[in-house]
Amino acid sequence: MLNLEPVVGLEIHAQLKTKTKLFCSCPIEPGAEPNTNICEICTGQPGALPRMNGKALELAAKAGLALGSTVNERSLFSRKNYFYPDLPNGFQTSQLDPPICQGGALEIESESGPKTVRLNRIHLEDDAGKCVHDEKRGRTLVDLNRAGSPLIEIVTEPDLSSSAEAVEFLKKLHTLLVRLDVTEGRLEEGEFRCDVNISLKPKGSDKLGVRGEIKNLNSFRYAGQAIDYEIKRQSAIYESGGQVLQETLHFDPVRRETRTLRTKEEARDYRYFPQPDLPPVLIDREVIQRLKESLPKSSEQIMNWLLSLGLREETAKLITERKGAAEYFEKALSLFSDPKRLANLMAELFLPLCQKENILPLQAKMGPDKLASLARLMAVGTLGRRAAYELFPDLFQSGESPERLAKDKGLSQVSDPAAVASLAEEVIKAYPKEAKDLKLGKEKMLNFLVGKIMNLSKGTADPKAAGQAIAELIKNLP
Amino acid sequence: MNQLWHLTLCEAAKGLAEGRFGALDLVLACLERLKQTEPSIKACLTVLEEESLAYARSLDEKGRDPQKPLWGLPVTVKDVFCLLGAPTTAGSKILENYRPAFEATVVERLKAAGAVIIAKTNLDEFAMGSSTEFSAYGPTCNPWNLERVPGGSSGGAAASIAAGQSLAAMGTDTGGSIRQPAALCGCVGLKPTYGRVSRYGVVAYGSSLDQAGPLARSAADCALMLSAVAGPDGRDSTCSMRKIDDYLNLCPLKASDLVLGLPEELWSADFAPQVANVLEQAKKILTSAGVTLKSVKMPNLRFSVAAYYILAAAEASTNLARYDGVRYGYREAGKEDLNDLYFSSRTKALGPEVRRRILLGTFVLSSGYYDAYYRKAAQVRRLIANDYYKALKDCNFLLAPVSSIPPWPFGAFTADPLTLYQLDMMTLPLNLAGGPGLSLPAGLGADGLPVGLQLMGRAFEEAELLNAGMFFERLLPPIGWPPLN
Amino acid sequence: MLDEKSAKAVAELARLELVDSDSHSRGNIVDDFVKIVGYMDILAHAQTEGVDPLYCPIIEAQPPRADEPKSRPGLADKILEEAPERVGRFFAVPRIV
């Protein structure tokens, strides 16, 4: 047995979440009738010229900033030339040197602990159209609705060493990019897909072996299966004393095996050169700074921050993981700084309702300001916990001010000493034995009597004030 | 038959403004003249007779709009400008019958300015050539001598104006394609600064070199055309955001204000004697009028033909990859294999010169050759641009010949592409640098054929350049009309 | 050294056959190609060390555009009308194997 270890690198294509294509104003609309969202630019008509979508540039830079890449203030588009019916211009407009982002890294959990996967680069490019093969007619049919859609390609260094690590990386990257609103990331639409480069090398050696490149995997599972198959295939070749060939491969998910698309000899000569129809891509330092500031924190950062505020781990985790929850929490906290109370309201009431309605926290009618004022009413004792919980579904549905709604429903807390005292008197009259036991030192009777006051007040009484009133009254008991 | 086709664009505009005649009178005059001369010069690929007559009538009915500077003026566009309702062929068989779904910015602006587009003119296929002999639809003849080429690639435009078929034309200039035919046909042609006029909807040859511009019978006519079509365009990313100058109200120049630089590398070429005589005569006229002429050195111009053909061919090779018979254009029938379809459609429907340049361009970008050819040429381009910058530091303009030889007989160079490329030496360096150039008639040679001169200026100084052109027009001998019936 | 073989490889990349459609003889286009490329070697004499390449003389180019969809009724159909072969709303080509 040779002692070989796999070396895996990924090239991930993510479709950017823009309304229009990268170089024209055609809408992006998955599932549209074939060739409806096309114009002279994305069909490569003579004389048509590209104009770059500024939003795509910002999204690419944002992805880079979140991944710790350097964003180049000046990058360049190049033409990548080859013939294919789904490529209307006869070239793809991509970036060679310099790309929009360079470097960066993403940390993943591997079997042997945390592992840093370095990124080589991120660049912008336009997508090709789609080919459908019509067996009956013996024709290939071309739909250019997708042609010109904006993509970023994220290229990793060959830092991964198993299918499990690769899948973990892909999942983590996918979550991050979706969370950043960089991509919708719908795998079934091909909005997040990858090419995998795999080679084997003797354990401990620095020298990379000959690699195979598996193209166009659009599911995490297939990516894992393809890597496993390819590792097995290459190992078998080495075991039998053969040589692995540099090839471009296709993964067949039904047979779970790879097949050759192109050998090295057939490798395309893409003839990259600077795209003369597009000026250099410029992005101001100020824009980069603004994007940096707009960046949501990483999960680790959010988790640490929430724990430092004294939240329970369970609550902190929920707020970290639920999309948009941390942003909502942060806004509410900026208005009323009682992290524990806010977090508990979110965890117990707010987030479950959002989930039920299938909306993001910031899309709820009940904005963070309303949550903050609710927490404030509770903290100053105007609203009891029970009343707050009772009120919550209405608050969530209506987005009304909690003060107003509490008043309307007569739920404002009774902390007026005279009112509480009269309630306490009533309760002591009704439960003389329990009151006496309390006076004789049975402390837990206090809770019982306060509970009765709460019942009587339908939860609006301030429990603290109720306790004090009872303590005061039993002093006078015989 | 009315003789209004004799007018310059500016004279015709004045006549319309004064109500001396209407748009229809002008358009009719030009169309008549076109019908009369077209059989011998073959300058037009499409004549928009009915459309332009109907449009001229509607203009007359509505009455003159003083907001429209080209109101009622008959013009043509080279057949690389996309125009709705007519084919755009670029002189190629691969675009025979191709009808664009959108219109070029230049065409939109001409229409918005009230111009009547009466025809689309002939050119070398995809603007690759300098004689119109490479048009898939046959060559255009020079109105001054029907056995000679009109120059190119905007040869149809130049011949058409020289023959009186229209008052002005829009052409494109990638390596001299406006200036050289203007010189060979005895008209005025302006190549504006790269980025001054939108390229949107102009069938591309070399994207970083192509620039649209006017051809007409005077510098003032070119100024009128330029003011209608130039300026920022959001559809062309390479079109400059810089506002356009006023090209129409210019202060008269004094000869003593003018210092012209004569690039040694261009003036030391081998000239045909009839061309050399006219050029010498013109220099004398300028000097005796008080203009200062001085020699300047631009040492990198000797690399310009090589650098130009590498860069233009490289860009062309990928600009023309879209002609694959899939979405539009010619497709070879009966091919059941996609690759066969690509090879045979492209080989059949692209002409030999276009294929030659695609091969050269593909080669210089291919793996292993990119640095030695393409990148090196782009570096040389920088050196040439620097040469212009330095030369224009101490002079107002550069003065140079346009062609070292007079219009040549058909077929003289078709078998010798390299010689043909080298003939572009006078014009193509300017496209590498990007600046503006104006070609003017300098006089007629002993053979009775026009000889041109060009002025080259600093980037975006079209107003100054046109002003100088108007000044020189008054000094240089008028060449009159070609001996056509 | 450039020869017919390298010309052939270049033609393959460009999807062109090496025929001269004027004379249908093969020699011409290859000979021209070799001769033209040979002339380009003059560039070897240019002093370009440390010179920044100039790819396009753009001055004050247009900034990126806003991400706003534009609808242009009828445009897609007009584009489709030019197709040499169609199946429904698809452009059609021989089956890719």
Side-chain angles (χ1 to χ4, degrees), chain C residues 1-2 23 25 27 29-30 33 41 43 47 50 52-53 56-58 60 75 79 82 86 89-90 92-93 95:
Chain C
M1 191 45 206
L2 278 178
S23 60
S25 72
I29 200 156
V30 175
F33 174 68
D41 290 335
L43 287 189
Q47 295 299 316
D52 190 23
C56 192
I58 302 174
E60 295 174 43
L75 180 68
I79 288 171
E82 289 295 315
R86 272 168 64 181
R89 290 192 64 86
F90 290 100
V93 295
R95 171 92 164 83

Side-chain angles (χ1 to χ4, degrees), chain A residues 222-366:
Chain A
Y222 293 165
Q225 288 171 350
I227 294 169
D228 284 337
Y229 175 85
E230 189 57 18
I231 292 171
K232 247 186 267 159
R233 189 186 71 93
Q234 291 187 14
S235 303
I237 293 173
Y238 285 124
E239 294 289 346
S240 63
Q243 283 298 313
V244 169
L245 299 174
Q246 189 178 323
E247 286 179 313
T248 306
L249 305 152
H250 165 80
F251 178 67
D252 180 341
V254 180
R255 295 182 164 173
R256 294 202 191 169
E257 58 184 38
T258 58
R259 17 186 195 84
T260 305
L261 272 180
R262 285 191 293 274
T263 62
K264 189 186 174 188
E265 287 68 36
E266 296 163 335
R268 289 162 165 173
D269 181 350
Y270 289 120
R271 291 159 285 137
Y272 278 98
F273 79 107
Q275 157 66 299
D277 289 328
L278 287 165
V281 181
L282 306 177
I283 182 161
D284 289 350
R285 217 167 293 183
E286 294 84 70
V287 175
I288 296 175
Q289 192 53 39
R290 171 168 66 71
L291 289 170
K292 220 181 239 171
E293 281 158 14
S294 77
L295 227 47
K297 300 182 188 84
S298 76
S299 306
E300 284 90 341
Q301 285 172 313
I302 294 172
M303 191 67 191
N304 289 338
W305 170 58
L306 294 175
L307 290 175
S308 76
L309 293 173
L311 305 193
R312 279 180 306 149
E313 188 160 344
E314 213 180 307
T315 315
K317 210 169 165 212
L318 181 70
I319 294 178
T320 305
E321 285 173 358
R322 193 68 62 77
K323 194 179 168 192
E327 288 83 348
Y328 187 98
F329 176 75
E330 195 176 3
K331 285 217 167 92
L333 190 65
S334 71
L335 298 166
F336 183 62
S337 70
D338 185 345
K340 280 192 205 164
R341 198 183 293 273
L342 288 169
N344 289 338
L345 283 170
M346 282 183 72
E348 289 169 26
L349 300 167
F350 181 73
L351 292 175
L353 285 170
C354 287
Q355 197 168 30
K356 209 171 127 200
E357 302 272 314
N358 196 21
I359 54 172
L360 291 173
L362 283 168
Q363 290 169 336
K365 275 194 187 156
M366 182 181 183

Side-chain angles (χ1 to χ4, degrees), chain A residues 2-45:
Chain A
L2 294 167
N3 202 0
L4 297 170
E5 64 180 356
V7 178
V8 179
L10 301 171
E11 293 166 17
I12 299 100
H13 291 90
Q15 185 179 316
L16 297 171
K17 195 173 167 182
T18 56
K19 293 191 204 109
T20 63
K21 295 185 179 180
L22 185 53
F23 297 120
C24 63
S25 300
C26 285
I28 291 172
E29 189 190 358
E33 281 273 288
N35 291 315
T36 45
N37 295 326
I38 57 169
C39 72
E40 66 269 26
I41 299 168
C42 56
T43 58
Q45 302 288 316

Side-chain angles (χ1 to χ4, degrees), chain A residues 85-101:
Chain A
D86 64 9
L87 191 71
N89 284 304
F91 58 80
Q92 179 187 27
T93 301
S94 182
Q95 295 192 298
L96 184 67
D97 185 31
I100 172 81
C101 303

Side-chain angles (χ1 to χ4, degrees), chain B residues 16 21-27 51-65 68 70-74 110-118:
Chain B
L16 286 168
F21 45 81
L24 186 61
D25 301 320
L26 261 181
V27 171
E51 298 91 322
S52 48
L53 286 175
Y55 185 52
R57 267 190 211 103
S58 77
L59 286 177
D60 281 339
E61 274 164 27
K62 275 182 261 170
R64 184 175 169 272
D65 181 349
K68 296 184 170 179
L70 299 178
W71 190 91
L73 297 170
L110 286 175
K111 288 182 174 176
V116 185
I117 300 172
I118 62 167

